[in-house]
Amino acid sequence: MKEYKKRIVKTIQYIDENLDADLSLEKIAEISAYSPFHFHRIFKLVTGETLQSYITRKKIEKSAFFLAVNKKVEIKEIYLDFGFSNHSVFSKTFKKYYGLPPSEFRRTAPEVFHKILQTQSKNGQIDTVFSQYICTIENLLNWTAMNLKIEVKEMPKMNLAAVMSLGITQVESSYNVLIDWAKSKNLFPRENVKMISVYHDSFKVTPPDKVRIHACILLDEKPEEELKGEVFSETIEAGRFIVGTGEVTLHDFEQCWVSLFLWMNEHHHSMRRTFPFEIYHSNFKEHPEGKMIVDFCIPIH
């Protein structure tokens, strides 16, 4: 099973980095070094989805995220970036997932980011609905001022060792795998070690059991050889980031992210097409109130 997962990790990374490219079963199977027949079965076994369902979902979820956070970008530019040939196909597919066309979705998603909830209707169908975040904008801004120090700064390139988690409930086990690996390399425990979670999906548009999160450890330097398999190499490129720093509990994380995206829009920044992440400077398990010092980081232009 571990060998299966290693190959699926490789193919998922390829898919997510090439959503506008040829993602046929034959091409993806070639990347995974399986026959198309075997790859299709193994992919569904590991992810719980068919390859085509996964690809379509990723394209629509990424499109939804950028419709909400980059409102000045034309809808056409977004759907072409994610490999949709025309507006009709994109709109029909988008409406199937979110219950409304892209333009209406963009208009309905306010600057504070309405939270998308999936509720089971009486006839068993999944309806996607918008529910306003529990705080008013004023309260959220006050909470932000009291709990987060926010700044825009240049950050250096970061070389990471990573383990993929498919679903929020798998993150802890991914970190356990990562820490066992780090111990074998004498990288853990050590002073000022930094653990980082990289979010390749947003909880606002992706169900929690399908969100892809990479559990990472910051390396002092790039490995001499590329890491492969369950523990693989990942790079966060240097650039500008909005960084919100605070001492918070796990319960506060969603509010921190909502606050940071609100701050981004209020200050007229736009997000780059790469992934937000968290840097942990302390361990909540070692704090009497379950608090930890965290940097919440959004890549911006």
Side-chain angles (χ1 to χ4, degrees):
M1 177 60 82
K2 281 193 174 183
E3 182 60 33
Y4 290 168
K5 287 185 177 179
K6 289 178 183 179
R7 297 195 193 186
I8 295 301
V9 164
K10 181 180 178 182
T11 57
I12 285 175
Q13 287 178 293
Y14 179 84
I15 290 168
D16 285 11
E17 292 168 3
N18 296 276
L19 286 173
D20 59 344
D22 172 21
L23 295 175
S24 64
L25 173 59
E26 290 73 18
K27 175 64 177 178
I28 301 302
E30 181 184 335
I31 297 294
S32 71
Y34 281 117
S35 70
F37 175 77
H38 284 98
F39 172 76
H40 191 272
R41 296 182 67 182
I42 292 164
F43 187 89
K44 188 172 183 180
L45 174 69
V46 174
T47 66
E49 296 179 87
T50 65
L51 176 64
Q52 192 54 52
S53 294
Y54 179 84
I55 292 171
T56 302
R57 177 174 65 80
K58 293 295 291 188
K59 288 183 176 185
I60 291 297
E61 288 172 354
K62 296 293 186 185
S63 300
F65 183 75
F66 283 98
L67 282 169
V69 300
N70 287 343
K71 294 196 173 185
K72 294 181 180 179
V73 178
E74 293 290 333
I75 291 178
K76 181 177 181 180
E77 184 177 339
I78 291 174
Y79 73 69
L80 289 177
D81 274 351
F82 290 105
F84 290 95
S85 58
N86 58 65
H87 186 274
S88 177
V89 172
F90 174 61
S91 184
K92 183 178 179 180
T93 309
F94 192 96
K95 191 172 181 179
K96 180 181 176 182
Y97 275 78
Y98 293 116
L100 66 171
S103 56
E104 184 68 11
F105 178 95
R106 168 175 271 182
R107 187 187 67 78
T108 314
E111 300 298 327
V112 71
F113 252 128
H114 274 19
K115 186 178 182 182
I116 295 175
L117 303 175
Q118 288 191 326
T119 58
Q120 192 77 20
S121 64
K122 291 182 180 179
N123 62 3
Q125 298 297 314
I126 297 295
D127 295 321
T128 304
V129 297
F130 289 96
S131 166
Q132 190 169 11
Y133 194 72
I134 57 173
C135 298
T136 63
I137 291 179
E138 292 79 8
N139 285 342
L140 190 55
L141 289 172
N142 289 337
W143 186 92
T144 302
M146 292 174 61
N147 292 278
L148 289 179
K149 175 189 175 185
I150 301 178
E151 56 185 330
V152 175
K153 62 182 183 181
E154 295 285 336
M155 297 181 68
K157 180 178 180 179
M158 288 180 271
N159 296 306
L160 311 173
V163 174
M164 182 184 297
S165 168
L166 291 176
I168 186 66
T169 60
Q170 302 301 315
V171 173
E172 185 173 358
S173 62
S174 295
Y175 268 110
N176 289 338
V177 171
L178 180 67
I179 289 171
D180 286 344
W181 173 86
K183 286 179 178 177
S184 73
K185 304 293 183 182
N186 295 319
L187 299 174
F188 186 92
R190 58 189 171 95
E191 190 176 357
N192 297 323
V193 64
K194 294 290 188 296
M195 295 295 185
I196 298 174
S197 290
V198 182
Y199 290 87
H200 288 255
D201 294 308
S202 168
F203 287 96
K204 301 304 176 188
V205 292
T206 304
D209 64 332
K210 297 186 184 300
V211 167
R212 179 157 73 93
I213 302 169
H214 288 183
C216 306
I217 187 171
L218 180 63
L219 304 175
D220 291 334
E221 56 187 29
K222 189 173 182 178
E224 293 182 5
E225 294 185 3
E226 187 77 4
L227 302 176
K228 296 179 180 179
E230 195 166 14
V231 180
F232 54 89
S233 297
E234 179 158 8
T235 301
I236 297 174
E237 297 295 342
R240 293 180 76 219
F241 293 83
I242 296 172
V243 181
T245 303
E247 187 175 29
V248 295
T249 67
L250 293 175
H251 179 74
D252 296 324
F253 274 39
E254 182 183 8
Q255 193 151 326
C256 290
W257 279 117
V258 173
S259 300
L260 216 56
F261 276 107
L262 173 61
W263 192 95
M264 179 183 78
N265 288 323
E266 290 283 315
H267 290 79
H268 309 292
H269 295 292
S270 60
M271 183 177 170
R272 283 186 280 128
R273 272 193 60 182
T274 185
F275 309 109
F277 55 93
E278 298 159 353
I279 304 176
Y280 312 120
H281 297 279
S282 62
N283 187 343
F284 73 94
K285 293 181 179 179
E286 298 173 356
H287 192 283
E289 297 177 21
K291 291 184 176 182
M292 58 198 304
I293 300 172
V294 185
D295 292 340
F296 299 88
C297 307
I298 299 176
I300 58 172
H301 293 286

